[in-house]
Amino acid sequence: MTAASWVDGSAGSGFGLDHLPYGVFSRAGEPARVGVRIGDHVLDLAPVAELGDPASALAEAWRAPSLNTFMAMGPEHWRTARRWITEVLGDEAHRERTAPHLHPVADVELHLPVEVGDYVDFYASEHHASNVGRIFRPDQEPLLPNWKHLPVGYHGRSGTVVVSGTDVVRPCGQRKAPTDDRPTYGPSQRLDIEAELGFVVGVGSPMGRRVATADLARHTFGVVGLNDWSARDIQAWEYVPLGPFLGKSFATTISAWVTPLAALDAAWTELPGQDDPEVLDYLRVDGPAGLDIEVEVVLDGEVVARPPYRTMYWSPAQMLAHTTVNGAGLRTGDLWGSGTVSGPERHQRGSLLELSWGGKEPFTAAGRERTFLEDGDEVTLRYTAPGTGGGRIRLGDVTGRILPAP
Ligand code: CA
């Protein structure tokens, strides 16, 4: 069991001593800097680190307006920091000099926590890929021949990754239904969400060197919630043959809090199985490589889906190994999305495309029939995982509201 923190209300909040996610915050008139969340508070790390010798080397990294400097320091420093924060927030002896640097989360502004390098999005759920295959290509096999041999992905647009709470403007673009003679231009009429997890690279790798699946934790700093907003009508017309482009690049929202990989030590679980076909050697994993994380999709204030991350076919370690197998290097701040998390059951589907089966089978949220997103809709993705202290930790929420097209 992890000991409790002296910070009131932190025990049982999902943000106890066994979690300690990092974010970037600011108070009125002050510069943005790194903080760690405990209960409903954020601890301003730099000034506290300056008080204590063991962590003083970290203070400068924590004064930066993103996590990148800290993340680039590497796993030994991440471990040192976590041990030190656990002691400072766990031992009553530190209370008097630390408490003045705690601020209610409600009183601070939260910023994009990471300066995002390259952003790659995968397609790791067999249930999601099969559902989308059936909806987009009803006359073909749902999975394309490559799908079980490699984690399919595409490069997204890092410059439009935004922090939770940022409004999303309905995108415009070319749309053409199969029955239309020619495309038209206008606001997307099939705007959607994709409930995903995101993984953040802390330590990069040089070009020419592959990252092995066993080295996930050497390079990966932590995990964020991620909503890959998707305009299905724009996507369906543009995606052949080179994949998603403008149907995805207008906005991707991540949580304000980055959960360190160490906080997920109790969440690792076996993958559902990759025996048929067997994967190539560079994609092999030893031991539990999946994550037991529960996701909730909230639309109009109502939970409309509960996708289970443990059902994902490809693991984060395999996605990282595949990204570098051609010799591509990694950079601090690189972000990769898991792809939509969908389980085998209807109520476990992580997109409205699947929940409404391409718009043909409306579902109900807050007493109304729904298919795709309407202007004014607010979507929140929530995530929980087993914590190392026996309870559950709550990853950062991912929220966004749809504004009308300009
Ligand atoms: Ca996606």
Side-chain angles (χ1 to χ4, degrees):
M1 285 294 289
T2 311
S5 168
W6 49 261
V7 178
D8 291 337
S10 57
S13 68
F15 295 101
L17 277 187
D18 58 347
H19 189 184
L20 302 174
Y22 295 97
V24 171
F25 77 100
S26 63
R27 302 171 73 216
E30 293 178 3
R33 67 257 194 201
V34 174
V36 71
R37 181 159 176 173
I38 180 81
D40 290 331
H41 289 77
V42 55
L43 177 66
D44 190 353
L45 284 167
V48 184
E50 282 161 5
L51 299 171
D53 220 18
S56 58
L58 293 160
E60 192 176 339
W62 287 335
R63 275 194 295 269
S66 86
L67 285 170
N68 290 45
T69 308
F70 173 48
M71 295 195 303
M73 292 170 78
E76 260 183 60
H77 292 274
W78 308 340
R79 277 192 292 274
T80 302
R82 192 167 171 81
R83 268 198 305 271
W84 173 78
I85 294 167
T86 303
E87 188 196 318
V88 163
L89 291 173
D91 187 338
E92 188 78 28
H94 294 276
R95 181 176 192 148
E96 196 177 326
R97 62 181 189 169
T98 306
H101 301 287
L102 281 173
H103 308 290
V105 172
D107 293 351
V108 304
E109 186 181 349
L110 296 171
H111 303 269
L112 190 66
V114 173
E115 192 183 326
V116 181
D118 287 299
Y119 165 47
V120 175
D121 197 22
F122 285 93
Y123 198 45
S125 161
E126 182 175 1
H127 304 290
H128 173 70
S130 301
N131 287 338
V132 172
R134 288 190 189 100
I135 294 166
F136 274 29
R137 302 179 301 272
D139 48 347
Q140 297 172 36
E141 280 291 309
L143 288 183
L144 292 170
N146 59 3
W147 197 89
K148 286 196 170 181
H149 292 281
L150 54 85
V152 170
Y154 69 95
H155 276 274
R157 191 168 191 84
S158 53
T160 47
V161 175
V162 296
V163 70
S164 177
T166 306
D167 291 335
V168 173
V169 176
R170 180 180 297 273
C172 292
Q174 285 199 24
R175 311 143 309 174
K176 181 189 167 305
T179 50
D180 295 342
D181 289 338
R182 61 184 65 201
T184 57
Y185 172 84
S188 170
Q189 289 160 4
R190 292 161 73 89
L191 185 57
D192 199 354
I193 58 141
E194 291 195 337
E196 307 192 13
L197 276 189
F199 299 86
V200 180
V201 172
V203 177
S205 65
M207 282 177 70
R209 208 198 79 202
R210 299 179 200 170
V211 173
T213 54
D215 287 341
L216 177 80
R218 281 195 194 176
H219 293 275
T220 309
F221 177 77
V223 175
V224 290
L226 187 150
N227 185 349
D228 174 26
W229 303 94
S230 299
R232 301 301 182 191
D233 39 4
I234 297 172
Q235 181 188 355
W237 170 231
E238 75 175 0
Y239 88 109
V240 180
L242 287 184
F245 186 32
L246 304 182
K248 301 276 195 175
S249 63
F250 55 94
T252 306
T253 306
I254 62 171
S255 56
W257 301 106
V258 183
T259 294
L261 219 52
L264 293 170
D265 278 352
W268 294 104
T269 184
E270 296 290 337
L271 293 173
Q274 299 179 334
D275 306 330
D276 185 24
E278 282 190 16
V279 297
L280 292 175
D281 282 348
Y282 80 91
L283 288 170
R284 284 185 200 283
V285 289
D286 283 327
L291 284 167
D292 183 13
I293 294 178
E294 298 287 342
V295 188
E296 285 183 334
V297 179
V298 183
L299 171 63
D300 243 3
E302 187 171 309
V303 176
V304 295
R306 290 192 162 85
Y309 195 88
R310 66 178 172 278
T311 61
M312 298 295 268
Y313 189 89
W314 294 105
S315 67
Q318 291 170 315
M319 297 183 227
L320 188 65
H322 189 62
T323 300
T324 60
V325 76
N326 64 349
L330 300 171
R331 292 185 296 175
T332 300
D334 283 359
L335 169 70
W336 80 92
S338 61
T340 309
V341 187
S342 290
E345 307 295 331
R346 181 171 178 165
H347 72 276
Q348 296 177 328
R349 298 171 183 168
S351 70
L352 307 187
L353 176 76
E354 293 162 273
L355 286 168
S356 71
W357 207 255
K360 291 182 188 140
E361 299 173 15
F363 60 96
T364 304
R368 285 200 303 131
E369 282 209 335
R370 303 299 306 265
T371 54
F372 294 97
L373 292 171
E374 299 169 10
D375 292 343
D377 274 346
E378 186 173 88
V379 176
T380 298
L381 307 179
R382 300 193 295 226
Y383 305 79
T384 64
T388 54
R392 292 189 79 78
I393 62 171
R394 182 177 162 194
L395 282 64
D397 287 353
V398 181
T399 293
R401 191 166 51 103
I402 304 303
L403 300 186

